[in-house]
Short mmCIF file of all heavy atoms in Angstrom, two decimals:
data_model
loop_
_atom_site.label_atom_id
_atom_site.label_comp_id
_atom_site.label_asym_id
_atom_site.label_seq_id
_atom_site.Cartn_x
_atom_site.Cartn_y
_atom_site.Cartn_z
N ASP J 246 -79.55 -146.91 103.72
CA ASP J 246 -78.54 -146.37 104.66
C ASP J 246 -79.45 -145.78 105.78
O ASP J 246 -80.04 -144.62 105.65
CB ASP J 246 -77.75 -145.32 103.91
CG ASP J 246 -76.73 -144.72 104.92
OD1 ASP J 246 -76.73 -145.05 106.13
OD2 ASP J 246 -75.88 -143.99 104.43
N ALA J 247 -79.54 -146.47 106.91
CA ALA J 247 -80.36 -146.05 108.02
C ALA J 247 -80.02 -144.59 108.64
O ALA J 247 -80.74 -144.07 109.14
CB ALA J 247 -80.31 -147.12 109.13
N ALA J 248 -78.74 -144.21 108.40
CA ALA J 248 -78.40 -142.99 108.92
C ALA J 248 -78.82 -141.79 108.10
O ALA J 248 -78.84 -140.66 108.56
CB ALA J 248 -76.88 -142.97 109.00
N ARG J 249 -79.29 -142.04 106.77
CA ARG J 249 -79.50 -140.96 105.89
C ARG J 249 -80.96 -141.01 105.39
O ARG J 249 -81.51 -139.97 105.01
CB ARG J 249 -78.58 -141.11 104.74
CG ARG J 249 -77.11 -140.92 105.07
CD ARG J 249 -76.27 -140.69 103.90
NE ARG J 249 -76.58 -139.44 103.13
CZ ARG J 249 -76.01 -138.97 102.04
NH1 ARG J 249 -74.90 -139.71 101.59
NH2 ARG J 249 -76.26 -137.88 101.48
N ILE J 250 -81.66 -142.09 105.29
CA ILE J 250 -82.92 -142.13 104.84
C ILE J 250 -83.94 -141.44 105.73
O ILE J 250 -83.96 -141.57 106.89
CB ILE J 250 -83.57 -143.60 104.68
CG1 ILE J 250 -82.76 -144.47 103.68
CG2 ILE J 250 -84.99 -143.69 104.40
CD1 ILE J 250 -83.15 -145.79 103.49
N GLY J 251 -84.61 -140.52 105.02
CA GLY J 251 -85.57 -139.62 105.87
C GLY J 251 -84.97 -138.56 106.74
O GLY J 251 -85.70 -137.91 107.43
N ASN J 252 -83.63 -138.22 106.48
CA ASN J 252 -83.01 -137.22 107.20
C ASN J 252 -83.59 -135.85 107.00
O ASN J 252 -83.68 -135.52 105.85
CB ASN J 252 -81.54 -137.20 106.95
CG ASN J 252 -80.71 -136.43 107.97
OD1 ASN J 252 -81.11 -136.27 109.09
ND2 ASN J 252 -79.65 -135.91 107.56
N LEU J 253 -84.11 -135.18 108.01
CA LEU J 253 -84.85 -133.88 107.88
C LEU J 253 -86.09 -133.90 107.18
O LEU J 253 -86.66 -132.87 106.87
CB LEU J 253 -83.78 -132.89 107.20
CG LEU J 253 -82.58 -132.51 107.96
CD1 LEU J 253 -81.71 -131.43 107.14
CD2 LEU J 253 -82.85 -132.10 109.37
N MET J 254 -86.63 -135.13 106.85
CA MET J 254 -87.97 -135.20 106.16
C MET J 254 -89.09 -134.51 106.97
O MET J 254 -90.10 -134.01 106.41
CB MET J 254 -88.23 -136.68 105.81
CG MET J 254 -89.63 -136.84 105.21
SD MET J 254 -89.77 -135.99 103.55
CE MET J 254 -88.88 -136.94 102.57
N GLU J 255 -89.01 -134.66 108.31
CA GLU J 255 -90.15 -134.05 109.14
C GLU J 255 -90.21 -132.54 108.79
O GLU J 255 -91.24 -132.03 108.84
CB GLU J 255 -89.84 -134.34 110.59
CG GLU J 255 -88.47 -133.97 111.18
CD GLU J 255 -87.38 -135.03 110.81
OE1 GLU J 255 -87.69 -136.15 110.60
OE2 GLU J 255 -86.24 -134.57 110.85
N LEU J 256 -88.97 -131.85 108.63
CA LEU J 256 -89.06 -130.55 108.35
C LEU J 256 -89.67 -130.23 107.00
O LEU J 256 -90.38 -129.27 106.85
CB LEU J 256 -87.69 -129.86 108.42
CG LEU J 256 -86.94 -130.03 109.82
CD1 LEU J 256 -85.53 -129.43 109.76
CD2 LEU J 256 -87.67 -129.59 110.91
N ASP J 257 -89.33 -130.95 105.99
CA ASP J 257 -89.90 -130.76 104.72
C ASP J 257 -91.40 -130.99 104.70
O ASP J 257 -92.14 -130.31 104.01
CB ASP J 257 -89.24 -131.73 103.65
CG ASP J 257 -87.74 -131.27 103.15
OD1 ASP J 257 -87.40 -130.04 103.50
OD2 ASP J 257 -87.01 -132.08 102.69
N ALA J 258 -91.78 -132.07 105.44
CA ALA J 258 -93.21 -132.44 105.36
C ALA J 258 -94.00 -131.29 105.94
O ALA J 258 -95.12 -130.95 105.62
CB ALA J 258 -93.33 -133.73 106.16
N ILE J 259 -93.46 -130.81 107.23
CA ILE J 259 -94.21 -129.74 107.94
C ILE J 259 -94.30 -128.51 107.10
O ILE J 259 -95.29 -127.83 106.94
CB ILE J 259 -93.47 -129.51 109.21
CG1 ILE J 259 -93.74 -130.66 110.19
CG2 ILE J 259 -94.08 -128.21 109.90
CD1 ILE J 259 -92.72 -130.65 111.47
N ALA J 260 -93.15 -128.21 106.39
CA ALA J 260 -93.02 -127.03 105.60
C ALA J 260 -94.02 -127.15 104.42
O ALA J 260 -94.77 -126.11 104.13
CB ALA J 260 -91.53 -126.82 105.04
N ALA J 261 -94.10 -128.23 103.80
CA ALA J 261 -94.99 -128.49 102.69
C ALA J 261 -96.45 -128.38 103.10
O ALA J 261 -97.33 -127.74 102.40
CB ALA J 261 -94.84 -129.81 102.04
N ALA J 262 -96.82 -128.95 104.28
CA ALA J 262 -98.11 -128.85 104.77
C ALA J 262 -98.58 -127.40 105.13
O ALA J 262 -99.76 -126.95 104.71
CB ALA J 262 -98.25 -129.75 106.05
N VAL J 263 -97.69 -126.63 105.73
CA VAL J 263 -97.99 -125.33 106.18
C VAL J 263 -98.12 -124.50 104.90
O VAL J 263 -99.02 -123.59 104.80
CB VAL J 263 -96.92 -124.72 107.10
CG1 VAL J 263 -97.13 -123.30 107.29
CG2 VAL J 263 -96.93 -125.54 108.45
N VAL J 264 -97.18 -124.60 103.98
CA VAL J 264 -97.34 -123.85 102.64
C VAL J 264 -98.47 -124.07 101.93
O VAL J 264 -99.06 -123.22 101.34
CB VAL J 264 -95.97 -124.07 101.90
CG1 VAL J 264 -96.15 -123.48 100.38
CG2 VAL J 264 -94.71 -123.49 102.50
N GLY J 265 -98.99 -125.39 101.99
CA GLY J 265 -100.16 -125.70 101.29
C GLY J 265 -101.47 -125.25 101.98
O GLY J 265 -102.54 -125.57 101.48
N GLY J 266 -101.34 -124.58 103.09
CA GLY J 266 -102.53 -124.01 103.70
C GLY J 266 -103.06 -124.69 104.89
O GLY J 266 -104.11 -124.46 105.44
N THR J 267 -102.31 -125.71 105.46
CA THR J 267 -102.82 -126.40 106.63
C THR J 267 -102.58 -125.51 107.91
O THR J 267 -101.48 -125.06 108.03
CB THR J 267 -101.98 -127.77 106.92
OG1 THR J 267 -102.04 -128.63 105.71
CG2 THR J 267 -102.39 -128.51 108.07
N LEU J 268 -103.58 -125.29 108.56
CA LEU J 268 -103.42 -124.51 109.79
C LEU J 268 -102.72 -125.13 110.95
O LEU J 268 -103.12 -126.29 111.31
CB LEU J 268 -104.80 -124.02 110.24
CG LEU J 268 -105.64 -123.16 109.22
CD1 LEU J 268 -106.98 -122.82 109.79
CD2 LEU J 268 -104.92 -121.89 108.75
N LEU J 269 -101.77 -124.60 111.53
CA LEU J 269 -101.09 -125.25 112.67
C LEU J 269 -101.86 -125.46 113.84
O LEU J 269 -101.61 -126.28 114.65
CB LEU J 269 -99.79 -124.30 112.98
CG LEU J 269 -98.60 -124.33 111.93
CD1 LEU J 269 -97.51 -123.40 112.40
CD2 LEU J 269 -98.06 -125.79 111.80
N GLN J 270 -102.97 -124.70 114.15
CA GLN J 270 -103.86 -124.91 115.20
C GLN J 270 -104.86 -125.97 114.89
O GLN J 270 -105.71 -126.27 115.79
CB GLN J 270 -104.50 -123.60 115.65
CG GLN J 270 -105.48 -122.93 114.61
CD GLN J 270 -104.80 -121.97 113.65
OE1 GLN J 270 -103.55 -122.13 113.30
NE2 GLN J 270 -105.56 -121.00 113.25
N GLY J 271 -104.90 -126.55 113.75
CA GLY J 271 -105.71 -127.61 113.37
C GLY J 271 -107.03 -127.16 112.84
O GLY J 271 -107.35 -125.96 112.65
N GLY J 272 -107.90 -128.15 112.41
CA GLY J 272 -109.14 -127.86 111.82
C GLY J 272 -109.30 -127.71 110.37
O GLY J 272 -110.49 -127.52 109.82
N ARG J 273 -108.24 -127.89 109.72
CA ARG J 273 -108.20 -127.73 108.22
C ARG J 273 -107.14 -128.73 107.61
O ARG J 273 -106.01 -128.83 108.12
CB ARG J 273 -107.96 -126.33 107.77
CG ARG J 273 -108.01 -126.05 106.29
CD ARG J 273 -108.14 -124.57 106.15
NE ARG J 273 -108.33 -124.22 104.64
CZ ARG J 273 -107.49 -123.87 103.86
NH1 ARG J 273 -106.26 -123.68 104.41
NH2 ARG J 273 -107.75 -123.54 102.57
N ALA J 274 -107.48 -129.54 106.52
CA ALA J 274 -106.61 -130.47 106.02
C ALA J 274 -106.75 -130.47 104.49
O ALA J 274 -107.25 -131.37 103.83
CB ALA J 274 -107.06 -131.89 106.53
N PRO J 275 -106.11 -129.42 103.87
CA PRO J 275 -106.00 -129.43 102.34
C PRO J 275 -105.01 -130.33 101.79
O PRO J 275 -103.82 -130.00 101.74
CB PRO J 275 -105.65 -127.93 102.04
CG PRO J 275 -104.86 -127.53 103.34
CD PRO J 275 -105.38 -128.34 104.51
N ILE J 276 -105.45 -131.54 101.39
CA ILE J 276 -104.43 -132.62 101.00
C ILE J 276 -103.77 -132.21 99.71
O ILE J 276 -102.39 -132.22 99.73
CB ILE J 276 -105.20 -133.90 100.79
CG1 ILE J 276 -105.93 -134.40 102.06
CG2 ILE J 276 -104.31 -134.95 100.16
CD1 ILE J 276 -104.99 -134.71 103.17
N PHE J 277 -104.38 -131.67 98.79
CA PHE J 277 -103.62 -131.29 97.58
C PHE J 277 -102.92 -130.01 97.74
O PHE J 277 -101.98 -129.65 96.91
CB PHE J 277 -104.67 -131.27 96.36
CG PHE J 277 -104.79 -132.57 95.69
CD1 PHE J 277 -105.91 -133.42 95.96
CD2 PHE J 277 -103.88 -133.05 94.75
CE1 PHE J 277 -106.00 -134.58 95.32
CE2 PHE J 277 -103.94 -134.28 94.21
CZ PHE J 277 -105.19 -135.03 94.46
N GLY J 278 -103.33 -129.19 98.77
CA GLY J 278 -102.50 -128.09 99.20
C GLY J 278 -101.07 -128.58 99.71
O GLY J 278 -100.13 -127.96 99.28
N ALA J 279 -101.07 -129.60 100.40
CA ALA J 279 -99.82 -130.20 100.87
C ALA J 279 -99.03 -130.65 99.69
O ALA J 279 -97.82 -130.52 99.64
CB ALA J 279 -100.05 -131.37 101.83
N LEU J 280 -99.55 -131.26 98.68
CA LEU J 280 -98.96 -131.73 97.43
C LEU J 280 -98.40 -130.42 96.76
O LEU J 280 -97.18 -130.50 96.31
CB LEU J 280 -99.87 -132.43 96.56
CG LEU J 280 -99.41 -132.77 95.12
CD1 LEU J 280 -98.18 -133.60 95.21
CD2 LEU J 280 -100.50 -133.48 94.38
N LEU J 281 -99.11 -129.43 96.67
CA LEU J 281 -98.57 -128.20 96.04
C LEU J 281 -97.39 -127.61 96.84
O LEU J 281 -96.40 -127.15 96.33
CB LEU J 281 -99.70 -127.07 95.96
CG LEU J 281 -99.41 -125.79 95.43
CD1 LEU J 281 -98.96 -125.83 93.93
CD2 LEU J 281 -100.61 -124.83 95.52
N GLY J 282 -97.57 -127.65 98.12
CA GLY J 282 -96.45 -127.21 99.06
C GLY J 282 -95.18 -128.00 98.82
O GLY J 282 -94.02 -127.53 98.78
N ALA J 283 -95.36 -129.41 98.67
CA ALA J 283 -94.23 -130.18 98.49
C ALA J 283 -93.51 -129.85 97.19
O ALA J 283 -92.23 -129.84 97.04
CB ALA J 283 -94.70 -131.63 98.36
N VAL J 284 -94.26 -129.55 96.20
CA VAL J 284 -93.72 -129.18 94.77
C VAL J 284 -92.92 -127.90 94.97
O VAL J 284 -91.82 -127.82 94.35
CB VAL J 284 -94.84 -128.98 93.67
CG1 VAL J 284 -94.21 -128.41 92.46
CG2 VAL J 284 -95.42 -130.38 93.48
N ILE J 285 -93.45 -127.05 95.75
CA ILE J 285 -92.69 -125.70 95.85
C ILE J 285 -91.40 -125.85 96.64
O ILE J 285 -90.38 -125.39 96.27
CB ILE J 285 -93.62 -124.65 96.76
CG1 ILE J 285 -94.80 -124.22 95.77
CG2 ILE J 285 -92.86 -123.48 97.14
CD1 ILE J 285 -95.85 -123.39 96.51
N ILE J 286 -91.49 -126.69 97.72
CA ILE J 286 -90.33 -126.98 98.52
C ILE J 286 -89.18 -127.67 97.69
O ILE J 286 -88.02 -127.25 97.71
CB ILE J 286 -90.64 -127.87 99.76
CG1 ILE J 286 -91.46 -127.21 100.69
CG2 ILE J 286 -89.42 -128.36 100.37
CD1 ILE J 286 -91.00 -125.90 101.37
N GLN J 287 -89.59 -128.58 96.83
CA GLN J 287 -88.69 -129.32 95.95
C GLN J 287 -88.07 -128.37 94.87
O GLN J 287 -86.86 -128.30 94.68
CB GLN J 287 -89.25 -130.48 95.32
CG GLN J 287 -88.43 -131.16 94.23
CD GLN J 287 -87.14 -131.57 94.59
OE1 GLN J 287 -86.88 -131.93 95.84
NE2 GLN J 287 -86.20 -131.64 93.73
N LEU J 288 -88.95 -127.51 94.24
CA LEU J 288 -88.51 -126.68 93.24
C LEU J 288 -87.58 -125.49 93.78
O LEU J 288 -86.71 -125.08 93.10
CB LEU J 288 -89.64 -125.95 92.52
CG LEU J 288 -90.43 -126.92 91.44
CD1 LEU J 288 -91.52 -126.22 90.79
CD2 LEU J 288 -89.48 -127.42 90.44
N VAL J 289 -87.81 -125.12 95.00
CA VAL J 289 -86.92 -124.03 95.62
C VAL J 289 -85.54 -124.66 95.79
O VAL J 289 -84.53 -124.07 95.46
CB VAL J 289 -87.49 -123.63 96.93
CG1 VAL J 289 -86.40 -122.84 97.71
CG2 VAL J 289 -88.66 -122.67 96.76
N LYS J 290 -85.48 -125.95 96.29
CA LYS J 290 -84.16 -126.61 96.50
C LYS J 290 -83.50 -126.82 95.13
O LYS J 290 -82.36 -126.50 94.92
CB LYS J 290 -84.41 -127.87 97.20
CG LYS J 290 -83.01 -128.67 97.36
CD LYS J 290 -83.41 -130.02 98.07
CE LYS J 290 -82.17 -130.78 98.31
NZ LYS J 290 -82.41 -132.07 99.14
N TYR J 291 -84.35 -127.32 94.13
CA TYR J 291 -83.70 -127.53 92.86
C TYR J 291 -83.23 -126.32 92.17
O TYR J 291 -82.06 -126.26 91.61
CB TYR J 291 -84.77 -128.21 91.93
CG TYR J 291 -84.28 -128.28 90.45
CD1 TYR J 291 -83.41 -129.20 90.10
CD2 TYR J 291 -84.76 -127.34 89.63
CE1 TYR J 291 -83.02 -129.29 88.63
CE2 TYR J 291 -84.40 -127.35 88.26
CZ TYR J 291 -83.52 -128.36 87.88
OH TYR J 291 -83.03 -128.33 86.50
N THR J 292 -84.02 -125.21 92.21
CA THR J 292 -83.64 -123.88 91.61
C THR J 292 -82.34 -123.37 92.11
O THR J 292 -81.47 -122.96 91.35
CB THR J 292 -84.77 -122.93 91.81
OG1 THR J 292 -85.93 -123.46 91.32
CG2 THR J 292 -84.44 -121.59 91.14
N LEU J 293 -82.15 -123.41 93.45
CA LEU J 293 -80.99 -122.96 94.09
C LEU J 293 -79.80 -123.85 93.63
O LEU J 293 -78.70 -123.38 93.29
CB LEU J 293 -81.10 -122.97 95.66
CG LEU J 293 -82.11 -121.99 96.17
CD1 LEU J 293 -82.32 -122.04 97.56
CD2 LEU J 293 -81.72 -120.42 95.88
N LEU J 294 -79.84 -125.18 93.71
CA LEU J 294 -78.80 -126.04 93.32
C LEU J 294 -78.44 -125.97 91.97
O LEU J 294 -77.24 -125.90 91.60
CB LEU J 294 -79.08 -127.39 93.74
CG LEU J 294 -79.22 -127.76 95.18
CD1 LEU J 294 -79.67 -129.16 95.48
CD2 LEU J 294 -77.99 -127.39 95.97
N ALA J 295 -79.46 -125.86 91.01
CA ALA J 295 -79.21 -125.73 89.55
C ALA J 295 -78.48 -124.45 89.29
O ALA J 295 -77.90 -124.39 88.17
CB ALA J 295 -80.47 -125.95 88.84
#
Side-chain angles (χ1 to χ4, degrees):
D246 185 352
R249 300 191 61 177
I250 291 179
N252 194 27
L253 297 181
M254 177 57 75
E255 54 280 338
L256 302 183
D257 283 346
I259 293 170
V263 172
V264 169
T267 304
L268 301 178
L269 288 174
Q270 65 266 33
R273 191 161 180 257
I276 299 299
F277 274 100
L280 173 56
L281 178 62
V284 173
I285 291 173
I286 295 297
Q287 170 58 27
L288 283 180
V289 166
K290 180 179 179 179
Y291 168 80
T292 301
L293 294 174
L294 294 178

